[in-house]
Amino acid sequence: MKNSSQYVHTTGDIIEPNQLKLIDNCVNNYLFSLIAGLRQGSFGFDTLHRVTQEIIEYKKVLGNNRKFFIDSGGYSIIAGDVSPRDVSKFIECYNLFFEKDAPNNCDYIFSLDIPIFLKFKEFNNVSKIYEMNSKSIKESKKVLEKNKELYNKFIYVWQFKLHKQNAIWKKIYDEEFRQNSNLRHFAIGGLVGLRGVTNIQFSPFIGPAYRCLNIINNKNLEKESILHILGVYGLHDRVMLSFMHKLFNQYYLKDRNCKIQVTYDTVNYTLSGLYKLREQIIFIPENDDYICDYSYNLIDKIDRIIDNPDVLKIIQNDLKKIIAGEQVVDTRMSSLLNVLTQTTIDKIINDTLDKNNVVEMFIDCKNFNKFKNKISPILMNLEKKYPLVFGNRSKKNLLNWQYCYAFHDAYMTQSEEAIEKLIDKFIDLIGFPFDLEG
């Protein structure tokens, strides 16, 4: 287990060796989706086979020193690329991959979850969503029970942002896994685009994360569990992810056999990197700290963060073209500079929490107001020292810690009911302007 939360790099293509070399020192986890083999108008075992071959090639490039996550491709169903009448075939294809190919070709695989239909709105009712997701999980459980080693790979995705959706996922979990001692990996979904719809300022995964913590703590398996947050990248989200990773392991689970590795993924880093090639900010280590500037202004120091000479040459040549106002040759390599920047930011967040003993402060203060009085001047200093990381974000960070205290108090009662009641209130705070029919 690492000392902090970990970024999982998402890509839709087989990552090229030079791309891998560029981010190799800062990225240990990669995510590839089944979506390319299951979103066609006519998909089946043949199209799934083609994407399986891509996954095998991807795994060869990654080798055995990096963790490889597989996404179910269920977003095709959500987006409407797959008709509701074909969902059963989709479930069958996913579970065929899970049974035949996942054992040798991935480290982790997310469950196939179908939270909503964006295009076929007549299916957005409790009966249909429960029916489809129950079928998906039942079929996966059959595979798991035939090969129990797959429990080491299977990540159960929770959906929660709507009250009725939350009730469905709780019901399915209770029916299939509550009495199961093998399931130990969990993910929290439904976060992509959530802020744009609701305008919330806090991290919506806080409540569900405590639910997962409670499950993992109660099972107390002598193993590490993955707790993955799907599709987040906000800086205050990442402060909370790093904080929760430390709090969960250093405090709640310190005397338990189990541990939790918090991970997260986002496509934002590479996509936004493409859009800001000429304005890409980078951090360069210097004198036990960092200097920060546009990448082309630090071209002579960039060898401090890029070890491989071939990769360094490609990046330096592209930066020279940016200085000259010319077109960049390898835009994908240049966009991955943003991955270096963002993972450096994660390291700054992690180190800052450690240096200021924030977890110990949180526990010792015992209530939010005392904690706020102690952490606020620290946050003000951090806003000045690292404006790109903490600038103008103290209010959001404090709000997150306020909600975290509420769940901390509920968790310390060792009452699942208290946690679940608080999650219901949390869903009210999220205020998503829609719920399932029925």
Side-chain angles (χ1 to χ4, degrees):
M1 184 193 71
K2 302 294 183 181
N3 185 42
S4 182
S5 57
Q6 289 190 55
Y7 164 66
V8 179
H9 183 67
T10 305
T11 178
D13 302 306
I14 298 173
I15 195 163
E16 298 294 335
N18 275 342
Q19 297 170 27
L20 190 67
K21 290 172 188 173
L22 173 60
I23 60 177
D24 196 37
N25 288 337
C26 61
V27 177
N28 299 312
N29 312 285
Y30 293 80
L31 174 65
F32 194 86
S33 177
L34 296 177
I35 196 168
L38 296 172
R39 67 180 168 199
Q40 296 89 344
S42 177
F43 67 89
F45 299 138
D46 54 338
T47 59
L48 178 65
H49 177 73
R50 288 198 292 272
V51 81
T52 298
Q53 296 310 303
E54 290 183 23
I55 286 168
I56 290 170
E57 290 302 313
Y58 199 139
K59 187 75 168 66
K60 284 181 184 176
V61 174
L62 289 183
N64 296 319
N65 295 325
R66 306 165 188 91
K67 296 298 183 184
F68 191 28
F69 293 67
I70 296 294
D71 182 75
S72 68
Y75 188 73
S76 294
I77 302 174
I78 297 169
D81 296 332
V82 175
S83 167
R85 69 175 180 271
D86 290 326
V87 168
S88 290
K89 184 170 69 169
F90 195 104
I91 292 170
E92 189 178 0
C93 287
Y94 163 83
N95 280 297
L96 179 71
F97 176 88
F98 184 33
E99 181 176 10
K100 303 295 184 184
D101 298 303
N104 296 320
N105 296 307
C106 70
D107 295 291
Y108 302 106
I109 179 168
F110 293 101
S111 65
L112 171 56
D113 61 305
I114 308 157
I116 199 170
F117 288 87
L118 294 176
K119 189 179 289 186
F120 304 96
K121 297 183 180 180
E122 65 272 21
F123 287 85
N124 291 329
N125 60 72
V126 170
S127 175
K128 287 293 183 185
I129 296 296
Y130 169 77
E131 175 190 333
M132 293 178 183
N133 285 281
S134 179
K135 178 179 175 60
S136 175
I137 291 299
K138 284 180 186 296
E139 293 302 312
S140 293
K141 191 178 179 185
K142 289 178 185 176
V143 176
L144 287 163
E145 290 301 306
K146 280 198 290 185
N147 180 3
K148 286 188 166 60
E149 288 296 312
L150 283 171
Y151 277 108
N152 295 321
K153 300 176 183 288
F154 188 68
I155 303 176
Y156 180 84
V157 179
W158 285 95
Q159 294 287 341
F160 75 98
K161 68 187 178 189
L162 315 174
H163 282 292
K164 291 175 183 176
Q165 197 182 66
N166 184 48
I168 289 170
W169 263 260
K170 283 167 61 179
K171 181 179 180 182
I172 293 172
Y173 177 81
D174 286 348
E175 290 171 345
E176 303 301 330
F177 290 121
R178 176 170 283 276
Q179 304 304 320
N180 186 297
S181 61
N182 295 304
L183 181 71
R184 72 178 196 274
H185 300 308
F186 300 95
I188 299 167
L191 305 179
V192 175
L194 183 58
R195 283 205 172 85
V197 175
T198 62
N199 202 33
I200 56 171
Q201 301 298 302
F202 58 90
S203 296
F205 53 77
I206 294 172
Y210 269 89
R211 168 191 284 156
C212 295
L213 166 68
N214 192 51
I215 292 171
I216 292 165
N217 176 57
N218 289 340
K219 292 188 179 191
N220 196 29
L221 302 175
E222 292 186 0
K223 295 178 179 179
E224 178 182 279
S225 292
I226 294 291
L227 175 54
H228 186 85
I229 316 301
L230 287 151
V232 296
Y233 60 89
L235 286 163
H236 62 300
D237 290 330
R238 288 147 66 186
V239 170
M240 183 50 52
L241 286 175
S242 187
F243 173 77
M244 293 180 90
H245 177 94
K246 295 174 187 298
L247 177 67
F248 287 8
N249 290 292
Q250 294 173 13
Y251 185 71
Y252 301 130
L253 302 179
K254 64 180 179 181
D255 298 321
R256 309 292 280 167
N257 296 324
C258 50
K259 296 296 176 186
I260 292 174
Q261 177 60 62
V262 175
T263 55
Y264 78 98
D265 73 273
T266 178
V267 297
N268 175 270
Y269 299 165
T270 47
L271 290 178
S272 62
L274 284 172
Y275 291 114
K276 59 183 180 185
L277 291 180
R278 299 177 187 278
E279 296 83 32
Q280 179 60 55
I281 297 291
I282 59 173
F283 291 83
I284 299 289
E286 186 165 280
N287 299 327
D288 297 323
D289 207 339
Y290 297 91
I291 54 174
C292 179
D293 203 340
Y294 290 118
S295 54
Y296 54 80
N297 285 336
L298 296 173
I299 189 170
D300 295 331
K301 297 183 178 182
I302 204 166
D303 59 324
R304 298 182 193 176
I305 59 173
I306 301 174
D307 295 334
N308 186 278
D310 294 331
V311 173
L312 178 63
K313 185 176 180 181
I314 293 170
I315 294 296
Q316 286 178 327
N317 285 341
D318 275 344
L319 292 180
K320 288 174 183 175
K321 287 187 175 297
I322 288 174
I323 293 170
E326 299 172 4
Q327 187 172 346
V328 170
V329 174
D330 197 331
T331 56
R332 186 169 298 175
M333 286 288 286
S334 295
S335 85
L336 286 178
L337 274 179
N338 195 39
V339 174
L340 290 183
T341 295
Q342 298 302 326
T343 52
T344 301
I345 286 173
D346 282 349
K347 186 177 187 307
I348 290 170
I349 289 169
N350 179 59
D351 292 347
T352 299
L353 292 174
D354 283 343
K355 287 175 184 175
N356 290 283
N357 299 313
V358 177
V359 169
E360 292 86 347
M361 188 190 305
F362 181 89
I363 297 301
D364 291 343
C365 284
K366 294 185 170 42
N367 68 66
F368 174 68
N369 286 330
K370 288 182 181 178
F371 177 79
K372 181 181 179 181
N373 290 337
K374 286 197 171 186
I375 198 71
S376 291
I378 295 172
L379 290 175
M380 291 300 102
N381 288 332
L382 289 171
E383 285 208 22
K384 295 173 185 175
K385 185 176 182 181
Y386 298 115
L388 286 176
V389 182
F390 294 97
N392 299 317
R393 293 181 177 89
S394 291
K395 186 176 179 180
K396 292 180 180 179
N397 283 319
L398 287 170
L399 185 59
N400 271 348
W401 273 309
Q402 182 177 357
Y403 290 145
C404 197
Y405 259 109
F407 279 99
H408 167 75
D409 290 341
Y411 180 81
M412 294 305 291
T413 68
Q414 292 296 292
S415 167
E416 180 181 341
E417 183 181 4
I419 294 170
E420 292 300 332
K421 282 184 176 179
L422 204 54
I423 288 175
D424 284 334
K425 292 181 180 178
F426 204 56
I427 294 171
D428 288 335
L429 288 171
I430 291 170
F432 197 80
F434 168 80
D435 206 348
L436 301 174
E437 296 292 330

